[in-house]
Amino acid sequence: MESFEEQRESLVESLKRRGYISNVAVEAAMRRIQREEFLPESLRDDAYVDSPLPIGEGQTISAPHMVAIMAEQLDLRPGMKVLEIGAGSGYHAAVCAEIVGQEGHVYTVERISSLASFAEANLRKTGYASVVTVIFGDGTRGLPEHAPYDRILVAAGAPAIPTPLTEQLAEGGKLLVPVGGRFCQDLIRIEKRGHKLKKESLGGCVFVPLIGEHGYH
Ligand code: SAH
């Protein structure tokens, strides 16, 4: 069997070939982060299959192509302050952290306490603990204490755009959120321009439900 490094290299090449990665910063981040370190022990060997995988509590780590799509669409830059809703394994937060760097920060909120601990442990062992803060709580309320955010990404499917998130978005900021039914959604990109929100649908996607005050109940 190929080494994890070789498998990671082929996955990134395939994501580029299929048009999911074109930004060099996204490419570098995905070449660097060891997805196997964000998986339960028994699933490490599947780390470079381009598919979501179970991480416990009925939740999943998103497929690499979905992480790539979201990272590309977010247009992350060094120094940005990012809010993620749904830490899960912490992998997606690590990809964001790699791009925003030591000058930036990623806050990631998780509503299931065992997963918040899992994400935190994974981020610590891979060296991202200084750039990423994991918070246990209901992310549909956002995280007002550190607002406004340059970028917000929601890694779970919402019934509607949670208003606290658009309120906590910085002027000129971008928000990515899957909106739709419990089993399939449209990935929506929102840009805040003054009092206006520019919304665009980027196509269909499948996420676990966003559960909370401004999500599913
Ligand atoms: N970004 C993750 C994928 C997480 S899957 C990764 O890279 O692994 C979506 C996660 O959102 C699940 O862990 C789920 O528990 C969490 N979630 C659902 N509703 C939430 C809410 N209201 N606040 C915070 N997390 C939530």
Side-chain angles (χ1 to χ4, degrees):
M1 190 164 165
E2 284 180 307
S3 68
F4 282 134
E5 285 68 27
E6 288 165 328
Q7 293 181 54
R8 187 159 58 245
E9 196 62 26
S10 350
L11 174 66
V12 172
E13 282 307 323
S14 133
L15 292 172
K16 281 175 70 180
R17 215 171 34 242
R18 290 186 285 151
Y20 292 118
I21 299 181
S22 54
N23 178 304
V24 290
V26 174
E27 178 179 345
M30 293 196 66
R31 270 192 210 284
R32 177 145 194 177
I33 298 159
Q34 306 181 323
R35 191 168 182 254
E36 66 274 17
E37 298 298 337
F38 293 85
L39 290 172
E41 197 62 42
S42 62
L43 291 175
R44 282 172 74 90
D45 285 347
D46 296 328
Y48 297 102
V49 177
D50 189 13
S51 120
L53 293 168
I55 52 171
E57 310 284 350
Q59 307 303 317
T60 53
I61 178 173
S62 306
H65 75 268
M66 187 47 70
V67 174
I69 290 173
M70 292 181 81
E72 289 267 332
Q73 293 292 339
L74 271 180
D75 187 24
L76 297 164
R77 312 273 172 80
M80 280 184 166
K81 195 185 345 169
V82 179
L83 174 65
E84 179 187 40
I85 312 305
S89 68
Y91 175 75
H92 207 150
V95 172
C96 296
E98 187 61 44
I99 304 175
V100 302
Q102 291 291 339
E103 306 295 306
H105 205 83
V106 180
Y107 295 91
T108 183
V109 187
E110 173 55 57
R111 67 175 280 273
I112 299 177
S113 88
S114 60
L115 288 176
S117 309
F118 182 57
E120 187 155 6
N122 295 341
L123 289 159
R124 198 175 314 121
K125 76 178 171 190
T126 48
Y128 292 101
S130 61
V131 183
V132 185
T133 307
V134 181
I135 289 131
F136 167 54
D138 175 8
T140 67
R141 298 176 182 157
L143 190 64
E145 52 269 49
H146 298 289
Y149 301 95
D150 302 305
R151 301 289 186 260
I152 302 179
L153 66 147
V154 182
I161 300 165
T163 31
L165 301 186
T166 54
E167 286 164 7
Q168 292 170 31
L169 194 59
E171 172 59 33
K174 290 180 183 161
L175 160 67
L176 276 185
V177 53
V179 178
R182 269 183 186 262
F183 302 105
C184 65
Q185 307 88 24
D186 268 332
L187 185 61
I188 307 293
R189 184 179 59 195
I190 293 148
E191 248 185 273
K192 193 171 193 170
R193 300 247 181 93
H195 289 295
K196 289 211 178 111
L197 296 174
K198 187 180 149 220
K199 293 178 201 168
E200 192 184 336
S201 170
L202 304 174
C205 56
V206 177
F207 281 85
V208 295
L210 180 75
I211 297 168
E213 190 183 338
H214 303 270
Y216 283 102
H217 300 292

